[in-house]
Amino acid sequence: MHNQNQCGITLQTGRLEVEVEPSAHSIENLLEFASRENPKRAYLFVSKVLGKYIPCKPSTMRSSYRELAKFIEPQTPTLVLGVAETATGLGAGVAHSFCQQHKEIYFSQTTRFKKDRPLAFHITEKHSHAPQHLIYDFNNNVPTATIRDVVLVDDEISTGNTLTQITQEVTDYLPNVERIHWLSLVNWMSRARCEEIKAQFSRVNIHFESLLKGEFNFKKTSNQVIEFPRATATELSQAHCRWDLGRTGICVNKTSKGSFINTQKEPLTLAHLDRNTPYVIVGTGEFSYQPFLFAEAMEQAGFDVLFESTGRSPILKGGGISSKVTFFDTCHQANYYLYNLPAERTPIILYETLEQLEGSPLHKLLNCHAYFLEDAR
C-alpha cells in the first residue's frame, strides 16, 4: 500500500493495480478485493458499505444511500432503476432517500426471475456468470410519459457496457426522458470513456456520480484455469417471486416496510429478540431492501446487528472473502453462497416468499431461524 489513493493487490488469479482520485473516502474504507470463480472476469471489488458479501452496519448502508442521493436534485417525476443482483437494495435505498424531499419517485430493477409477464426490455451483462437481465414492463405503475430523470444505480461500474445497454433501452422505452444519471459507489471508467458514452447519447444528458472514482489495471499472473463451479446459477430463475417490491415498478412513497412471519405464521418482532445477543440479518439474492429495513429497525432500537445477503456469484476464498457457505437452492436449481458470515453472531435469514424459504437449505445448515415477507393486506 503506497497511500490511501493507490494500492496494489495480489490475488489468486492475478495482480490488481488501483488508483483513485482524492475523495472523502479512502480505498480502505470502501473496498476489499477478491478473485471470482469466473472465466470471464477474474477479479472482484468487494464493497464494505453495501451489505452484500461483507457484513455491514445498517446505519453505514443508510449513510451511503443518502450520500449518493445528494449528488442529484430531481426536478421532475424520477425513475430509479437498480441493477440486479447486487444493487437492488442500493437502488431502493437511494430511491427512498430521494423521497425525503420529492413525492414522485418511482423504483424498478433488473431481475433474473423469468415469468410470463410482458417485458420492457432485456440486456446482456457479458462478463457476468448470469448474463441475462430482464426489465419487466412497468407502464401500469410508473407514469412513463412524464419521466424526465432516470437514475441507474449499480454498486460498481468498470467498463460501462452494461449501463450503456440499459441507457439505450431506457431512452427507447421512456419517450420524454432528458437526463440519465449513472450512480455508483465506485466508478472505474476513464474520463475519455465517460466522454465517449456522453457522445453516444446526444438526445439525453448523461451524468456520472460516485463515492469513489479511479482507474485500475488487472494483469493475470496465474496459469490456473478458472471454470464456473458445478451448478452455477447462470440461467434465469423460475422460482416464485413477488411483484410488489419493484420488478414492475412501484411508487416509492407508497411502499411500507412489510412484516416477516415464519412457517407457523408467527411474526418476527423486536420483542422476541434478545438484546444481549449480537445478530446478523441475512437477506437473500435480489431480496435485500426489506431485510435491511428490519436490520435498521433493530439497530435503531439498540441491538448489536450487522446485515449481509446471499448471492449467486461464485467467489474464491481469500482476500476480502474469509469464509464461504455453499448451498444448492432447489427453488433456483443452482448453487447460492453466503460469504463472511460472522461466527460470533446469531443469524436470522429473511426470504422473499414462503416458497423460497422452503426451497433453501441455508437456515437448516446454519441451524437458525428463517422468516418470509408476509403478503400485504
Side-chain angles (χ1 to χ4, degrees), residues 282 308-310 323-325 327 337-341 362 366:
V282 180
E308 66 170 312
S309 182
T310 64
S323 69
K324 176 178 181 177
V325 178
F327 58 98
Y337 306 92
L338 179 61
Y339 298 102
N340 295 322
L341 180 68
L362 181 59
L366 301 180

Side-chain angles (χ1 to χ4, degrees), residues 278 306 341-346:
L306 298 178
L341 180 68
E344 74 285 359
R345 289 179 175 270
T346 297

Side-chain angles (χ1 to χ4, degrees), residues 239-241 329-331 352-360 372:
H240 179 67
C241 65
D329 193 306
T330 57
C331 255
E352 184 174 347
T353 65
L354 173 61
E355 291 84 352
Q356 289 184 35
L357 183 155
E358 293 177 333
S360 172
F372 66 96

Side-chain angles (χ1 to χ4, degrees), residues 38 40 84-85 111-115 123-125 128-134 136 228-239 286 311-314 328-337:
N38 181 339
K40 300 178 184 179
E85 168 187 75
T111 184
R112 294 188 175 103
F113 284 81
K114 182 173 175 58
K115 295 294 172 183
I123 61 108
T124 301
E125 187 179 17
S128 175
H129 62 285
Q132 292 177 277
H133 286 257
L134 305 181
Y136 285 95
F228 287 128
R230 181 189 64 82
T232 296
T234 57
E235 303 299 325
L236 297 171
S237 175
Q238 303 286 341
E286 293 180 12
R312 55 163 62 205
S313 294
F328 185 80
D329 193 306
T330 57
C331 255
H332 301 288
Q333 286 295 297
N335 278 339
Y336 270 63
Y337 306 92

Side-chain angles (χ1 to χ4, degrees), residues 360-376:
S360 172
L362 181 59
H363 50 282
K364 296 174 185 174
L365 282 173
L366 301 180
N367 191 28
C368 69
H369 291 293
Y371 297 81
F372 66 96
L373 189 63
E374 189 175 19
D375 288 337

Side-chain angles (χ1 to χ4, degrees), residues 44-159:
L44 179 68
F45 300 100
V46 189
S47 173
K48 290 182 174 182
V49 301
L50 186 63
K52 184 66 177 177
Y53 304 133
I54 295 177
C56 184
K57 282 187 174 184
S59 54
T60 301
M61 296 169 64
R62 179 64 75 183
S63 293
S64 69
Y65 302 159
R66 289 173 175 158
E67 193 170 354
L68 283 171
K70 285 178 182 176
F71 283 121
I72 301 168
E73 186 64 34
Q75 299 297 323
T76 60
T78 294
L79 173 70
V80 180
L81 183 71
V83 179
E85 168 187 75
T86 316
T88 52
L90 182 66
V94 168
H96 278 77
S97 294
F98 287 144
C99 258
Q100 305 306 310
Q101 288 84 30
H102 304 275
K103 291 183 179 179
E104 289 192 87
I105 303 296
Y106 299 87
F107 173 72
S108 189
Q109 64 170 80
T110 76
T111 184
R112 294 188 175 103
F113 284 81
K114 182 173 175 58
K115 295 294 172 183
D116 186 20
R117 288 175 176 248
L119 291 176
F121 53 90
H122 63 89
I123 61 108
T124 301
E125 187 179 17
K126 292 183 179 179
H127 72 269
S128 175
H129 62 285
Q132 292 177 277
H133 286 257
L134 305 181
I135 297 83
Y136 285 95
D137 182 76
F138 48 78
N139 193 57
N140 289 337
N141 299 319
V142 177
T144 50
T146 68
I147 297 293
R148 301 292 194 277
D149 285 82
V150 173
V151 183
L152 305 182
V153 182
D154 210 349
D155 59 313
E156 173 235 325
I157 303 172
S158 294
T159 64

Side-chain angles (χ1 to χ4, degrees), residues 261-267 354 370 372:
I261 56 175
N262 63 16
T263 53
Q264 285 75 46
K265 304 292 180 69
E266 297 166 338
L354 173 61
F372 66 96

